[in-house]
Amino acid sequence: MPELLLELFSEEIPARMQDEAARALAHGVMSGLNANGLGVGDHDIEFFATPRRLVLIVHNLPELQPDVKEERKGPRVGAPQQAIDGFLKSAGLASLDQCEKQDTGKGEFWIANIEKKGRRTKYVLVDILKTVICGFAWPKSMRWSDYNFRWVRPLHNILALFDGQPIPLLIERKGENKPYDPSTYEQPGAWAEIQAAKSAVLAANDKTCGHRFMAPDPFAVRDVKDYLGRLKSVYVVLDGDERKRIIATQLGNMCEDAGLKLRDDKGLLDEVAGLVEWPVVLMGRIDDKFMDVPPEVLITSMRSHQKYFSLLNADGSLAPRFALVSNMVTEDKGKAIVAGNERVLRARLSDAKFFWDQDRKHSLESRLPKLDQRVFYKGLGTMQDKARRLEKLAEGLAAFVPGCDAGLAARAAKLAKADLSTGMVGEFPELQGVMGRYYAQNDGEQADVAQAVADHYAPQGPSDRCPTAPVSVAVALADKLDTLVGFFAIGEKPTGSKDPFALRRAALGVIRLIIENKLRLPLSAAFMMAGNQYGELLDESGLKAAYADLPGFFADRLKVHLKEQKTRHDLVDAVFALGGEDDLVRLLARVAALQAFLASADGANLLTGYKRAANILKIEEKKDKKGYSEAVLLDRLQEAPERALADALGKAQGLIGESLRAEDFMGAMGVMAGLRQPVDAFFDQVTVNSEEQELRANRLRLLAGIRSAVDQVADFSKIEG
């Protein structure tokens, strides 16, 4: 079966855009094929990206587009001529003689039976590829030379073969790149004439180039097999995953030979694989004079600016070596490349060492006044204002963190943001907190304080480490609660997918800090504690709005967090619906007990009985326009099952309440389990809607008793199933 081979050859595509661009190219072409009746299976598609080319291969395409028969409904018979003319034009017909009348049951209408002969696939592809290429949505794109056309970088060549033959596709430099015109292109010899006439075009052809330096000359390819078979001979590894494997293997072998270990960095591996077409791993040396600079600085500097891999000694310490990935093989086996990179690295690390030496001349505390020159956010004060708030807030939160020294928490919170005014953090913002710890240690601060300065940003995501040291926990909570309350109070809340201040992440961080450290911290009190530190910066109405909105915001985030642990979201809703519960540890204990109870036969049957009682009550209360929550009249009970149920409910109400107050949630579930048998017997043997109205009302009160007893634990109406 014929195949499509498309290669878009350009200047270097940024590594972060390559994979998404290859997928978008495949998606766009497949959508076009499907729309034209040429759809193929997913297994027939391959797509690749290198720094200089996007490649799409589609196997098993038909040679001809299938014929199409379409019955198109037109205007009603007798409709105005303008409507009829429009219909004929849209259907490609000359007159109504080519249509027939058809009674649809809603009147008589003109019907056109349209038959379209399928075109040759290579001509259909011209339109599809032109639309996709000219409309490609790069995150950033550019014009070059005198082209009206935009691409991420200058596009130099289009290799487009269908069944081994070039496709007559032209991208014009100027003009609108109008849709494909069959009357022009599908004439014998038309392609060559058009190509010759329009010199200022990118014309699809059967040629490509190899590696930029090692095989730059263009060469022709016959088909997909020929293309794939020849690329490696011209130093191009097309498959990004294969380039990663090659780099990883070379790194592993090189480290083994040198007795070193590679510092894992999947993100850097992905990025570097997008920078080279023919990866060659080389090893360089870090000048010994830089090895007293903190390893995080060396690693960040090498990674951020130079894309070097860091290497470790056997004990895990940073080795005075680095690995780089070159894009070519050289006669000197990379010696000149390594020397050049070592020279560049020395310049980079000289800057880092300068900052390290200069920053340590001033204590963190002496840097606090400079924070007044940094605005935290308009309406929320400066960074120094935030530091003052954190100091008070962390001191207050320490009471809820077992083992936390309030004085140390206040000290750490006060210094937590001071490293923002250091030269090192100015150069490497990703090191904020990390450098704060080093500088705190240099100032002689206590170890707990220094560690809390480093930890107060954590956790920054689901895979990030959650602090456990008491002082660190208090300061990390303070930082996030201050941010959440402040932004909610000024109305800067996340909307839809937009969360520019990462407030969802902050809330998830608070949730993890509380749950993983089992803190008995009432959230409402914590919000108010944070709000109180703002003083006159925030007005009362804004703070009230924040206090009202934050519990629901946290409830949603908690459900996201628990979803990953396979906790049912409806149970969280059921417990939250009771209101007044803002102790996450207690809430989760109740949810866990409820989930275990509902997984048992007693729990499942009681839930069924509850829903039956609630449904009957809902209907009857609506019909009677009144509720039945009054006490059951014991002297009106007639049947043994209703007396048994009343007795069981009377005992259960109190016991459940006692268990909940003692936070004995499993005990409360045990009491509820005892209701199953009397509830089942009641529904099996007693008719609720008795013709005797007093009897009916008393039995409805019994049902209300079931609802009331069970709803002490959770709002069972929120539970699914």
Side-chain angles (χ1 to χ4, degrees):
M1 295 282 285
E3 298 168 314
L4 167 67
L5 170 60
L6 175 67
E7 183 203 70
L8 303 173
F9 187 85
S10 69
E11 295 292 330
E12 271 72 5
I13 306 168
R16 66 181 185 283
M17 299 182 188
Q18 291 169 16
D19 289 345
E20 185 58 35
R23 273 191 289 274
L25 177 64
H27 176 75
V29 173
M30 292 309 299
S31 297
L33 291 172
N34 288 328
N36 285 278
L38 294 169
V40 295
D42 291 344
H43 57 281
D44 292 317
I45 307 166
E46 297 177 86
F47 52 89
F48 307 94
T50 79
R52 302 179 74 200
R53 58 196 94 208
L54 297 180
V55 176
L56 173 67
I57 298 169
V58 184
H59 302 281
N60 297 320
L61 282 166
E63 291 185 359
L64 290 173
Q65 186 185 27
D67 297 341
V68 175
K69 291 184 179 179
E70 180 188 355
E71 185 181 271
R72 186 175 299 181
K73 183 181 175 184
R76 188 186 293 274
V77 174
Q81 188 60 40
Q82 189 177 7
I84 292 173
D85 291 344
F87 168 63
L88 291 173
K89 184 178 179 182
S90 68
L93 302 177
S95 73
L96 287 175
D97 295 340
Q98 296 169 277
C99 302
E100 62 181 39
K101 297 176 184 176
Q102 193 175 99
D103 189 347
T104 63
K106 295 182 179 179
E108 200 172 28
F109 289 81
W110 289 108
I111 303 294
N113 291 304
I114 304 170
E115 293 189 13
K116 286 185 180 176
K117 195 73 176 173
R119 291 189 294 152
R120 294 178 65 184
T121 299
K122 76 171 185 177
Y123 293 125
V124 179
L125 284 170
V126 173
D127 253 357
I128 295 172
L129 298 185
K130 192 166 189 174
T131 301
V132 171
I133 294 170
C134 292
F136 205 85
W138 291 99
K140 289 184 179 178
S141 60
M142 62 181 289
R143 297 184 195 279
W144 65 97
S145 183
D146 56 350
Y147 272 76
N148 283 340
F149 172 70
R150 298 183 70 90
W151 200 248
V152 61
R153 296 286 186 273
L155 181 63
H156 290 317
N157 187 59
I158 301 174
L159 184 161
L161 296 179
F162 175 71
D163 200 15
Q165 297 297 316
I167 294 170
L169 168 67
L170 295 176
I171 306 293
E172 298 181 29
R173 288 188 177 185
K174 297 183 178 179
E176 300 176 1
N177 275 305
K178 295 177 181 176
Y180 173 77
D181 181 1
S183 64
T184 302
Y185 282 79
E186 295 180 19
Q187 303 303 318
W191 170 242
E193 292 179 10
I194 293 169
Q195 197 173 357
K198 296 187 175 184
S199 57
V201 296
L202 270 174
N205 55 68
D206 60 354
K207 294 182 175 59
T208 186
C209 297
H211 190 278
R212 177 186 286 274
F213 304 112
M214 295 190 286
D217 295 335
F219 60 94
V221 296
R222 294 189 303 274
D223 51 25
V224 172
K225 183 179 180 182
D226 184 41
Y227 176 78
L228 296 176
R230 295 181 63 180
L231 278 182
K232 285 190 178 175
S233 68
V234 292
Y235 303 99
V236 175
V237 179
L238 186 61
D239 186 348
D241 288 337
E242 186 179 356
R243 294 198 298 274
K244 290 179 197 174
R245 285 194 295 273
I246 292 171
I247 295 170
T249 300
Q250 292 186 16
L251 282 169
N253 293 339
M254 188 179 66
C255 287
E256 186 175 351
D257 293 344
L260 300 173
K261 295 190 295 186
L262 176 69
R263 180 180 178 274
D264 287 337
D265 194 335
K266 183 178 180 304
L268 182 58
L269 177 62
D270 291 344
E271 184 174 1
V272 170
L275 299 176
V276 295
E277 290 197 318
W278 191 258
V280 178
V281 176
L282 303 169
M283 182 184 288
R285 183 180 184 86
I286 304 172
D287 196 316
D288 288 342
K289 69 180 181 182
F290 300 119
M291 293 308 292
D292 64 339
V293 177
E296 291 93 339
V297 176
L298 300 182
I299 292 169
T300 301
S301 182
M302 290 192 292
R303 186 187 193 284
S304 299
H305 298 298
Q306 304 304 121
K307 312 304 175 191
Y308 297 161
F309 289 90
S310 299
L311 305 181
L312 308 175
N313 295 310
D315 62 0
S317 61
L318 186 68
R321 298 284 190 278
F322 64 89
L324 66 99
V325 181
S326 168
N327 190 32
M328 60 187 298
V329 180
T330 58
E331 293 182 356
D332 66 353
K333 298 183 179 179
K335 288 182 180 177
I337 294 174
V338 170
N341 279 274
E342 287 178 342
R343 187 165 57 250
V344 173
L345 183 62
R346 276 196 294 276
R348 290 285 185 192
L349 296 187
S350 293
D351 292 343
K353 183 172 174 55
F354 172 79
F355 291 133
W356 170 242
D357 292 337
Q358 292 300 311
D359 288 344
R360 286 181 294 162
K361 293 179 180 177
H362 306 279
S363 69
L364 280 179
E365 186 159 17
S366 70
R367 295 180 178 278
L368 290 174
K370 285 190 175 180
L371 294 180
D372 212 24
Q373 300 168 11
R374 292 172 175 267
V375 176
F376 171 48
Y377 191 73
K378 183 180 179 183
L380 299 179
T382 65
M383 290 306 296
Q384 189 173 25
D385 293 329
K386 185 174 177 78
R388 291 194 192 102
R389 295 196 299 268
L390 295 188
E391 183 180 0
K392 296 292 184 185
L393 182 55
E395 186 177 24
L397 290 170
F400 299 92
V401 183
C404 182
D405 182 303
L408 295 183
R411 179 67 181 168
K414 181 180 181 180
L415 301 177
K417 303 296 181 185
D419 66 351
L420 293 177
S421 62
T422 62
M424 187 71 82
V425 174
E427 180 71 9
F428 302 108
E430 59 269 47
L431 290 178
Q432 56 189 289
V434 173
M435 296 314 301
R437 179 184 59 196
Y438 281 110
Y439 296 141
Q441 290 169 338
N442 183 66
D443 295 346
E445 299 288 345
Q446 291 201 28
D448 288 350
V449 171
Q451 188 60 43
V453 170
D455 285 347
H456 83 279
Y457 292 108
Q460 298 192 55
S463 59
D464 192 20
R465 180 184 63 85
C466 183
T468 55
V471 176
S472 297
V473 171
V475 182
L477 279 172
D479 186 39
K480 293 166 182 58
L481 287 168
D482 175 84
T483 298
L484 285 160
V485 171
F487 279 101
F488 267 69
I490 60 173
E492 294 283 7
K493 297 180 289 188
T495 55
S497 61
K498 295 181 180 176
D499 185 13
F501 309 110
L503 300 184
R504 293 190 179 101
R505 190 174 69 188
L508 282 168
V510 172
I511 288 170
R512 282 191 61 194
L513 285 163
I514 291 175
I515 293 175
E516 295 183 25
N517 291 291
K518 295 182 171 52
L519 303 184
R520 304 306 302 269
L521 173 65
L523 278 176
S524 298
F527 297 150
M528 294 184 70
M529 205 182 298
N532 291 339
Q533 310 312 320
Y534 274 94
E536 295 180 355
L537 269 177
L538 297 178
D539 59 43
E540 192 173 343
S541 61
L543 284 172
K544 284 183 177 177
Y547 300 153
D549 292 342
L550 280 167
F553 184 71
F554 267 73
D556 290 340
R557 303 283 76 71
L558 181 62
K559 282 186 277 189
V560 171
H561 175 74
L562 294 178
K563 185 178 180 182
E564 296 171 0
Q565 302 173 13
K566 302 188 183 306
T567 299
R568 288 171 50 177
H569 68 89
D570 57 326
L571 303 188
V572 180
D573 282 336
V575 174
F576 258 117
L578 296 178
E581 180 57 278
D582 64 355
D583 183 326
L584 297 184
V585 172
R586 187 168 56 208
L587 184 146
L588 291 184
R590 186 182 290 219
V591 170
L594 184 59
Q595 183 155 326
F597 173 63
L598 292 174
S600 69
D602 284 341
N605 284 330
L606 183 63
L607 177 62
T608 302
Y610 170 91
K611 288 187 176 294
R612 189 173 176 183
N615 286 335
I616 293 171
L617 273 171
K618 184 179 178 182
I619 294 169
E620 300 307 316
E621 286 177 339
K622 184 178 180 182
K623 186 194 305 177
D624 299 342
K625 297 181 180 176
K626 68 174 187 178
Y628 287 95
S629 56
E630 316 93 64
V632 174
L633 302 177
L634 299 178
D635 58 342
R636 298 292 178 87
L637 300 172
Q638 290 187 353
E639 306 289 341
E642 57 183 330
R643 286 195 293 274
L645 177 57
D647 184 53
L649 286 173
K651 294 175 182 174
Q653 281 280 9
L655 290 173
I656 291 173
E658 288 176 17
S659 298
L660 293 177
R661 284 190 290 278
E663 299 187 11
D664 179 9
F665 301 115
M666 292 307 296
M669 303 303 159
V671 177
M672 286 206 305
L675 291 174
R676 175 198 167 179
Q677 192 279 330
V679 169
D680 289 348
F682 178 82
F683 281 120
D684 289 344
Q685 302 174 39
V686 177
T687 302
V688 175
N689 282 323
S690 168
E691 293 182 357
E692 187 182 336
Q693 290 305 306
E694 284 298 323
L695 188 58
R696 169 179 172 272
N698 209 37
R699 288 172 178 170
L700 289 172
R701 293 185 194 109
L702 270 176
L703 298 189
I706 298 172
R707 185 174 62 184
S708 171
V710 172
D711 279 352
Q712 290 183 86
V713 175
D715 183 347
F716 268 49
S717 67
K718 302 284 186 185
I719 298 175
E720 298 172 358

